[in-house]
Amino acid sequence: MSDAATRLASIRSEIARAAKAARRDPAEVTLIAVSKRRSIPQIEALIAAGVADFGENRVAEAAEKWPALKAAYPHVRLHMVGQLQSNKSDEAVALFDAIHSVDRSTLLGALAKAVADSGRSPEIYVQVNIGGEEQKGGVAIAELPAFLEEVRATRLPLTGLMAMPPRDLEAGPFFALLAKLARRHAVTALSMGMSSDYRTAVMLGATAVRVGTALFED
């Protein structure tokens, strides 16, 4: 096995173990390989090993790498997992199959216009500022009900909620809170968990985990 395949097999095994411990089907969890600052050969090694979902943090970097990759591997899905500027909405809608960081009305309106103009409609995840951190993007918990109503009033396909817990605190309680919010607001998908805490996220209901370092580095 290649190094990429070995790392992938290990992470998939950990996801399966965590899912089974929570009495979940491991097939419910999508592994998103976060490929920011990774080379095309590194990405292709993971595609060859069986990864079908990749995440990027910046539109400009994705635009350099992914049009050719998606032409060569049409089954691969690309996820926007970083903050998105409203003026990049047209490019984002053209490039990405899912956008995980929708968190404000101006961005929502720009995305809705881009979808109407292009006819292409990526899945939408609403980012929640689950830890109330000023430096992070995301909708405040108190404002989430009204913002979800805004999303549902558009033609955009509301898929789920996304969150990143504070770095210096135990992630589990924040994942549990996001899962509770999703149930309360009848949202089915949860994008949560990264290299350091994806096991916990799977046990608490994640349907997509965003793993970078653990997949690309020994």
Side-chain angles (χ1 to χ4, degrees), residues 187-201:
V187 180
T188 56
L190 288 169
S191 172
M192 60 187 195
M194 297 187 289
S195 289
S196 62
D197 53 23
Y198 68 87
R199 303 166 190 83
T200 302

Side-chain angles (χ1 to χ4, degrees), residues 130 164-178 192-194 196-198 200-201 204:
I130 202 72
M164 294 180 289
R167 285 176 180 257
D168 54 347
L169 296 175
E170 170 61 39
F174 296 97
F175 293 152
L177 176 56
L178 191 70
M192 60 187 195
M194 297 187 289
S196 62
D197 53 23
Y198 68 87
T200 302
L204 291 169

Side-chain angles (χ1 to χ4, degrees), residues 8-21 24-32 198-199 202-203 209 211:
L8 175 61
S10 175
I11 289 169
R12 282 185 168 162
S13 176
E14 292 291 328
I15 288 172
R17 188 176 294 114
K20 289 175 181 176
R24 299 183 62 203
D25 182 352
E28 296 175 357
V29 184
T30 297
L31 173 60
I32 300 171
Y198 68 87
R199 303 166 190 83
V202 170
M203 292 191 69
V209 292
V211 179

Side-chain angles (χ1 to χ4, degrees), residues 24 125 152 158-161 182-183 185-191 205-207:
R24 299 183 62 203
Y125 288 76
R152 287 175 167 135
L158 174 61
T159 298
L161 303 181
R183 291 191 298 270
H185 297 295
V187 180
T188 56
L190 288 169
S191 172
T207 60

